[in-house]
Amino acid sequence: MTQPNAATFPRTIGLDLGLRSSAYCTVEPSGERVHEGILATKQADMRTCFSSEPKSRVVLEASAPSRWIAELATSCGHEVIVANPRELRLICESHRKTDRKDARILADFGQFRPKLLRPIKLRGLKCQIARSTLA
């Protein structure tokens, strides 16, 4: 993973993915939160969101929809970091857990300390299909 400067990726978008809806938080390089909300976890809605943003760093946790969302964000010119959920104790062990807070945490860590997210590399599609077939 490279460490682009603020000129390359001026914003960071944290996405807390859900099967039906996903919370998002957009952070400027200064740390200011500029957009927050919820969007449907559907390809059309995600494409509209990613297409309307300047090149950004998109941070999401590894989950069921993370593969296609990561591919979609990459195709729109964004850098994608897939965070290892087992390493994010601040999120997974929180007693005051909300989707909005999780999106904020992902955006903040992605903006200022992406290495702490312990990024993972998603398996190739062929590998994923083979593993699903074997399971």
Side-chain angles (χ1 to χ4, degrees), residues 104-121:
R104 285 178 171 180
I105 291 168
L106 290 168
D108 289 342
F109 271 83
Q111 182 73 29
F112 300 109
R113 301 294 297 263
K115 289 183 181 180
L116 293 178
L117 296 169
R118 305 272 194 227
I120 62 171
K121 184 176 179 184

mmCIF file of all heavy atoms in Angstrom, residues 104-121:
data_model
loop_
_atom_site.group_PDB
_atom_site.id
_atom_site.type_symbol
_atom_site.label_atom_id
_atom_site.label_comp_id
_atom_site.label_asym_id
_atom_site.label_seq_id
_atom_site.Cartn_x
_atom_site.Cartn_y
_atom_site.Cartn_z
ATOM 1 N N ARG A 104 -17.227 6.861 10.766
ATOM 2 C CA ARG A 104 -16.331 7.942 11.185
ATOM 3 C C ARG A 104 -14.955 7.399 11.567
ATOM 4 O O ARG A 104 -13.932 7.971 11.202
ATOM 5 C CB ARG A 104 -16.918 8.684 12.390
ATOM 6 C CG ARG A 104 -18.052 9.595 12.066
ATOM 7 C CD ARG A 104 -18.564 10.235 13.329
ATOM 8 N NE ARG A 104 -19.537 11.279 13.037
ATOM 9 C CZ ARG A 104 -20.132 11.990 13.973
ATOM 10 N NH1 ARG A 104 -19.864 11.774 15.254
ATOM 11 N NH2 ARG A 104 -20.993 12.927 13.633
ATOM 12 N N ILE A 105 -14.944 6.321 12.324
ATOM 13 C CA ILE A 105 -13.668 5.724 12.750
ATOM 14 C C ILE A 105 -12.865 5.261 11.541
ATOM 15 O O ILE A 105 -11.658 5.509 11.454
ATOM 16 C CB ILE A 105 -13.923 4.554 13.731
ATOM 17 C CG1 ILE A 105 -14.450 5.099 15.057
ATOM 18 C CG2 ILE A 105 -12.654 3.728 13.943
ATOM 19 C CD1 ILE A 105 -15.002 4.032 15.993
ATOM 20 N N LEU A 106 -13.529 4.596 10.599
ATOM 21 C CA LEU A 106 -12.831 4.133 9.394
ATOM 22 C C LEU A 106 -12.256 5.304 8.604
ATOM 23 O O LEU A 106 -11.113 5.250 8.127
ATOM 24 C CB LEU A 106 -13.773 3.297 8.523
ATOM 25 C CG LEU A 106 -14.144 1.929 9.081
ATOM 26 C CD1 LEU A 106 -15.300 1.320 8.277
ATOM 27 C CD2 LEU A 106 -12.946 1.001 9.075
ATOM 28 N N ALA A 107 -13.028 6.371 8.464
ATOM 29 C CA ALA A 107 -12.556 7.548 7.734
ATOM 30 C C ALA A 107 -11.371 8.194 8.447
ATOM 31 O O ALA A 107 -10.361 8.540 7.807
ATOM 32 C CB ALA A 107 -13.688 8.565 7.568
ATOM 33 N N ASP A 108 -11.469 8.348 9.759
ATOM 34 C CA ASP A 108 -10.385 8.985 10.514
ATOM 35 C C ASP A 108 -9.099 8.157 10.466
ATOM 36 O O ASP A 108 -8.020 8.701 10.236
ATOM 37 C CB ASP A 108 -10.806 9.229 11.967
ATOM 38 C CG ASP A 108 -11.851 10.323 12.115
ATOM 39 O OD1 ASP A 108 -12.022 11.130 11.161
ATOM 40 O OD2 ASP A 108 -12.507 10.383 13.171
ATOM 41 N N PHE A 109 -9.214 6.864 10.692
ATOM 42 C CA PHE A 109 -8.025 6.017 10.623
ATOM 43 C C PHE A 109 -7.455 6.003 9.212
ATOM 44 O O PHE A 109 -6.242 6.031 9.025
ATOM 45 C CB PHE A 109 -8.338 4.585 11.070
ATOM 46 C CG PHE A 109 -8.172 4.364 12.537
ATOM 47 C CD1 PHE A 109 -9.193 4.701 13.411
ATOM 48 C CD2 PHE A 109 -7.012 3.831 13.050
ATOM 49 C CE1 PHE A 109 -9.053 4.502 14.775
ATOM 50 C CE2 PHE A 109 -6.858 3.625 14.412
ATOM 51 C CZ PHE A 109 -7.886 3.966 15.280
ATOM 52 N N GLY A 110 -8.320 5.931 8.218
ATOM 53 C CA GLY A 110 -7.861 5.927 6.827
ATOM 54 C C GLY A 110 -7.158 7.204 6.443
ATOM 55 O O GLY A 110 -6.212 7.202 5.653
ATOM 56 N N GLN A 111 -7.608 8.320 7.003
ATOM 57 C CA GLN A 111 -7.012 9.619 6.692
ATOM 58 C C GLN A 111 -5.658 9.784 7.364
ATOM 59 O O GLN A 111 -4.711 10.236 6.760
ATOM 60 C CB GLN A 111 -7.952 10.737 7.143
ATOM 61 C CG GLN A 111 -7.453 12.134 6.836
ATOM 62 C CD GLN A 111 -7.549 12.458 5.365
ATOM 63 O OE1 GLN A 111 -8.401 11.949 4.657
ATOM 64 N NE2 GLN A 111 -6.668 13.299 4.890
ATOM 65 N N PHE A 112 -5.577 9.419 8.634
ATOM 66 C CA PHE A 112 -4.399 9.757 9.411
ATOM 67 C C PHE A 112 -3.465 8.595 9.730
ATOM 68 O O PHE A 112 -2.273 8.793 9.873
ATOM 69 C CB PHE A 112 -4.820 10.444 10.717
ATOM 70 C CG PHE A 112 -5.578 11.705 10.474
ATOM 71 C CD1 PHE A 112 -6.930 11.781 10.724
ATOM 72 C CD2 PHE A 112 -4.951 12.816 9.945
ATOM 73 C CE1 PHE A 112 -7.642 12.955 10.479
ATOM 74 C CE2 PHE A 112 -5.644 13.990 9.692
ATOM 75 C CZ PHE A 112 -6.995 14.054 9.959
ATOM 76 N N ARG A 113 -3.991 7.374 9.872
ATOM 77 C CA ARG A 113 -3.157 6.240 10.250
ATOM 78 C C ARG A 113 -3.607 4.957 9.547
ATOM 79 O O ARG A 113 -4.020 3.997 10.192
ATOM 80 C CB ARG A 113 -3.200 6.029 11.761
ATOM 81 C CG ARG A 113 -2.738 7.189 12.617
ATOM 82 C CD ARG A 113 -1.256 7.509 12.454
ATOM 83 N NE ARG A 113 -0.408 6.440 12.874
ATOM 84 C CZ ARG A 113 0.180 6.336 14.057
ATOM 85 N NH1 ARG A 113 -0.013 7.258 14.954
ATOM 86 N NH2 ARG A 113 0.940 5.315 14.336
ATOM 87 N N PRO A 114 -3.537 4.892 8.215
ATOM 88 C CA PRO A 114 -4.056 3.719 7.507
ATOM 89 C C PRO A 114 -3.364 2.409 7.862
ATOM 90 O O PRO A 114 -3.976 1.346 7.773
ATOM 91 C CB PRO A 114 -3.875 4.075 6.029
ATOM 92 C CG PRO A 114 -2.873 5.168 6.004
ATOM 93 C CD PRO A 114 -3.001 5.893 7.303
ATOM 94 N N LYS A 115 -2.113 2.452 8.301
ATOM 95 C CA LYS A 115 -1.423 1.211 8.658
ATOM 96 C C LYS A 115 -2.053 0.533 9.865
ATOM 97 O O LYS A 115 -1.969 -0.678 10.018
ATOM 98 C CB LYS A 115 0.059 1.480 8.918
ATOM 99 C CG LYS A 115 0.829 1.798 7.665
ATOM 100 C CD LYS A 115 2.298 1.997 7.960
ATOM 101 C CE LYS A 115 3.035 2.343 6.675
ATOM 102 N NZ LYS A 115 4.468 2.539 6.936
ATOM 103 N N LEU A 116 -2.695 1.315 10.731
ATOM 104 C CA LEU A 116 -3.341 0.733 11.903
ATOM 105 C C LEU A 116 -4.572 -0.100 11.533
ATOM 106 O O LEU A 116 -5.075 -0.861 12.351
ATOM 107 C CB LEU A 116 -3.738 1.825 12.900
ATOM 108 C CG LEU A 116 -2.579 2.555 13.576
ATOM 109 C CD1 LEU A 116 -3.111 3.639 14.502
ATOM 110 C CD2 LEU A 116 -1.702 1.593 14.340
ATOM 111 N N LEU A 117 -5.052 0.051 10.312
ATOM 112 C CA LEU A 117 -6.201 -0.726 9.853
ATOM 113 C C LEU A 117 -5.808 -2.161 9.480
ATOM 114 O O LEU A 117 -6.669 -2.986 9.234
ATOM 115 C CB LEU A 117 -6.847 -0.045 8.634
ATOM 116 C CG LEU A 117 -7.451 1.327 8.898
ATOM 117 C CD1 LEU A 117 -7.802 2.010 7.584
ATOM 118 C CD2 LEU A 117 -8.669 1.201 9.790
ATOM 119 N N ARG A 118 -4.510 -2.418 9.437
ATOM 120 C CA ARG A 118 -3.995 -3.736 9.032
ATOM 121 C C ARG A 118 -4.678 -4.195 7.747
ATOM 122 O O ARG A 118 -5.398 -5.196 7.724
ATOM 123 C CB ARG A 118 -4.207 -4.765 10.125
ATOM 124 C CG ARG A 118 -3.633 -4.395 11.447
ATOM 125 C CD ARG A 118 -2.208 -4.843 11.539
ATOM 126 N NE ARG A 118 -1.812 -4.758 12.945
ATOM 127 C CZ ARG A 118 -0.680 -4.204 13.325
ATOM 128 N NH1 ARG A 118 0.144 -3.725 12.444
ATOM 129 N NH2 ARG A 118 -0.376 -4.158 14.588
ATOM 130 N N PRO A 119 -4.498 -3.415 6.667
ATOM 131 C CA PRO A 119 -5.202 -3.714 5.414
ATOM 132 C C PRO A 119 -4.963 -5.145 4.935
ATOM 133 O O PRO A 119 -3.886 -5.706 5.112
ATOM 134 C CB PRO A 119 -4.601 -2.723 4.422
ATOM 135 C CG PRO A 119 -3.982 -1.666 5.248
ATOM 136 C CD PRO A 119 -3.583 -2.303 6.537
ATOM 137 N N ILE A 120 -6.002 -5.695 4.352
ATOM 138 C CA ILE A 120 -5.904 -7.034 3.781
ATOM 139 C C ILE A 120 -6.057 -6.935 2.275
ATOM 140 O O ILE A 120 -6.615 -5.969 1.751
ATOM 141 C CB ILE A 120 -6.967 -7.995 4.362
ATOM 142 C CG1 ILE A 120 -8.380 -7.503 4.045
ATOM 143 C CG2 ILE A 120 -6.786 -8.159 5.854
ATOM 144 C CD1 ILE A 120 -9.456 -8.485 4.390
ATOM 145 N N LYS A 121 -5.539 -7.925 1.597
ATOM 146 C CA LYS A 121 -5.683 -7.992 0.144
ATOM 147 C C LYS A 121 -6.772 -9.013 -0.146
ATOM 148 O O LYS A 121 -6.711 -10.149 0.322
ATOM 149 C CB LYS A 121 -4.362 -8.410 -0.501
ATOM 150 C CG LYS A 121 -4.422 -8.401 -1.989
ATOM 151 C CD LYS A 121 -3.082 -8.725 -2.607
ATOM 152 C CE LYS A 121 -3.244 -8.717 -4.110
ATOM 153 N NZ LYS A 121 -2.030 -9.106 -4.787
#
